[in-house]
């Protein structure tokens, strides 16, 4: 049973039983072979009202990945904002701030690599594959804010 959930930030995610990760619906549909936004919206529904609800799910952001080796590349992914959870010290200053991003499954990244989006720099602290069969279709990436 596939369940679709509309999150507060407008992102629609798919929940699949047995999967520990919610996957953005657009990432899932692209992994199944549909590419254009129009093609995806039409496959999900022909109803204009429902297609308008998908708008928040199509919004991606440009993300720059800096590998530990010093190489870098640019990709697109979902980094919902507000996306950070922060812990503060006794004076109220942020000590640690974490976030979650969803990236395409075909990219090559590792824990410790850095990610820059929205003018902020994050360090990758954990990765979780999202698989359909034997194909990795997305990555759930836990991030720690570096430029606090």
């Amino acid at each position: 049973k596939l369940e679709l959930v509309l999150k507060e930030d407008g992102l629609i995610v798919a929940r699949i039983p047995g999967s520990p990760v919610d996957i953005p619906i657009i990432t899932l549909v692209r992994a199944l072979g549909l590419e254009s936004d129009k093609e995806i919206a039409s496959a999900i529904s022909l109803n204009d009202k429902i297609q308008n609800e998908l708008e928040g799910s199509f919004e991606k952001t440009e993300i720059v990945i800096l590998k530990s080796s010093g190489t870098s590349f640019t990709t697109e992914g979902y980094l919902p904002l507000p996306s950070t959870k922060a812990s503060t010290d006794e004076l109220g200053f942020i000590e640690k701030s974490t976030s979650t991003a969803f990236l395409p499954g075909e990219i090559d990244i590792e824990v410790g690599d850095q990610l820059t989006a929205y003018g902020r720099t994050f360090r990758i602290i954990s990765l979780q594959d999202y698989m359909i069969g034997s194909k990795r279709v997305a990555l759930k990436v836990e991030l720690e804010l570096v430029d606090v």
Side-chain angles (χ1 to χ4, degrees):
K1 171 182 142 183
L2 175 74
E3 180 183 5
L4 297 179
V5 177
L6 177 61
K7 298 234 171 180
E8 288 180 22
D9 62 4
L11 182 66
I12 299 173
V13 296
R15 288 190 178 152
I16 300 172
S19 171
V21 180
D22 291 345
I23 182 93
I25 188 65
I26 303 305
T27 302
L28 178 62
V29 174
R30 286 190 202 285
L32 296 172
L34 298 179
E35 294 187 15
S36 78
D37 291 352
K38 183 175 182 174
E39 191 177 33
I40 291 168
S42 295
I44 292 173
S45 177
L46 296 175
N47 182 306
D48 288 340
K49 185 176 178 182
I50 293 172
Q51 287 183 358
N52 290 339
E53 289 293 324
L54 293 172
E55 189 174 335
S57 294
F58 282 109
E59 295 174 9
K60 293 186 205 177
T61 187
E62 183 176 277
I63 297 173
V64 177
I65 307 289
L66 176 61
K67 307 269 302 149
S68 300
S69 64
T71 61
S72 66
F73 63 93
T74 302
T75 188
E76 286 189 334
Y78 299 92
L79 183 60
L81 290 179
S83 60
T84 57
K85 295 174 243 159
S87 60
T88 57
D89 63 15
E90 62 276 354
L91 298 175
F93 292 102
I94 294 175
E95 287 184 317
K96 183 177 179 183
S97 183
T98 60
S99 187
T100 302
F102 293 94
L103 301 177
E106 71 273 3
I107 66 171
D108 177 30
I109 57 175
E110 301 172 352
V111 170
D113 290 348
Q114 290 190 351
L115 177 152
T116 301
Y118 302 117
R120 308 299 303 267
T121 301
F122 301 87
R123 181 178 17 267
I124 297 171
I125 56 175
S126 74
L127 298 167
Q128 188 171 18
D129 291 341
Y130 185 79
M131 309 290 285
I132 294 182
S134 61
K135 182 179 179 183
R136 181 172 80 178
V137 296
L139 286 167
K140 180 180 180 183
V141 183
E142 295 296 324
L143 306 164
E144 180 178 56
L145 189 60
V146 174
D147 61 357
V148 178

